[in-house]
Amino acid sequence: MKRPFLNLTTILFMSTIALVLVFASLETQAYVEIGSETAVATTPIIFTRTQTIGQSASYGVALGDLDNDNDLDAFVANVLFETALSNTNKVWLNNGSGQFTDSGQSLGSMDSYAVALGDLDGDKDLDAFVANDGENTVWVNDGQGNFSDSGQKLGANNSHTVLLADVNQDGRLDAYVANYGQANVLWLNDGTGQFRTYP
């Protein structure tokens, strides 16, 4: 039986919290009421680097339980730049303690700037919509964190960001793609992970 996976709302919420922690002042404040005065105590938040992951030029990452073992894995979008050996996208699997190992997959051959995870084909696992400099791609998950190319070549733009949401309220995740120097594109999902432009 498949385990529950993180939905888009959960992923976006966790991403927002992570961004707040990283880009805020990195300190917490505790407010203590003492009589008619309020004392403020600050406690620094300490981040420790535990692992360096890959040697790619990475522009985007999305976290989700890709192999259905109840921990967060990483799908990383890469570009070919300077010392980067490859621009293929990578899937990194979490051992449950925050240590990541390369799944061995090399996904795509175009410069990728962003990735969004969601159940695109209705089989209760997380698939990937990748925004590329060129044709956008959809990668289908087998439920164990192994991805295959859906064969779709969506658009021919310089795409930098993608978000998934059910924009037309039909119970399916659609894709809103933001393009650099070109019109943005809304892609509608037919429920099997196949996309068409709107209208």
Side-chain angles (χ1 to χ4, degrees), residues 8-23:
L8 179 64
T9 302
T10 305
I11 294 170
L12 290 176
F13 176 78
M14 295 184 67
S15 299
T16 302
I17 294 299
L19 288 173
V20 169
L21 288 176
V22 172
F23 292 109

Side-chain angles (χ1 to χ4, degrees), residues 121-164:
D121 56 0
D123 64 353
K124 306 301 182 184
D125 56 37
L126 294 177
D127 310 300
F129 192 113
V130 179
N132 299 312
D133 183 5
E135 299 164 328
N136 299 317
T137 48
V138 174
W139 295 88
V140 178
N141 189 350
D142 68 356
Q144 300 301 313
N146 301 302
F147 288 82
S148 59
D149 190 346
S150 70
Q152 299 174 80
K153 309 298 181 185
L154 305 176
N157 301 307
N158 186 357
S159 301
H160 277 224
T161 302
V162 56
L163 290 177
L164 300 177

Side-chain angles (χ1 to χ4, degrees), residues 5-124:
F5 62 90
L6 291 176
N7 59 30
L8 179 64
T9 302
T10 305
I11 294 170
L12 290 176
F13 176 78
M14 295 184 67
S15 299
T16 302
I17 294 299
L19 288 173
V20 169
L21 288 176
V22 172
F23 292 109
S25 61
L26 301 185
E27 62 179 21
T28 57
Q29 293 185 335
Y31 295 88
V32 181
E33 195 74 24
I34 305 174
S36 59
E37 298 182 359
T38 300
V40 179
T42 61
T43 303
I45 299 174
I46 306 300
F47 289 91
T48 303
R49 185 174 68 177
T50 61
Q51 186 181 7
T52 56
I53 301 173
Q55 295 181 339
S56 303
S58 302
Y59 266 75
V61 61
L63 299 178
D65 184 6
L66 303 179
D67 55 359
N68 285 303
D69 62 353
N70 292 319
D71 55 39
L72 292 176
D73 311 297
F75 191 116
V76 180
N78 296 314
V79 302
L80 191 61
F81 179 74
E82 293 183 354
T83 59
L85 301 179
S86 171
N87 63 346
T88 58
N89 302 317
K90 305 295 290 183
V91 173
W92 296 86
L93 298 179
N94 187 350
N95 69 356
S97 299
Q99 293 295 309
F100 290 82
T101 57
D102 189 348
S103 70
Q105 301 172 77
S106 297
L107 306 176
S109 58
M110 289 183 288
D111 286 350
S112 300
Y113 288 95
V115 56
L117 299 176
D119 182 9
L120 302 179
D121 56 0
D123 64 353
K124 306 301 182 184

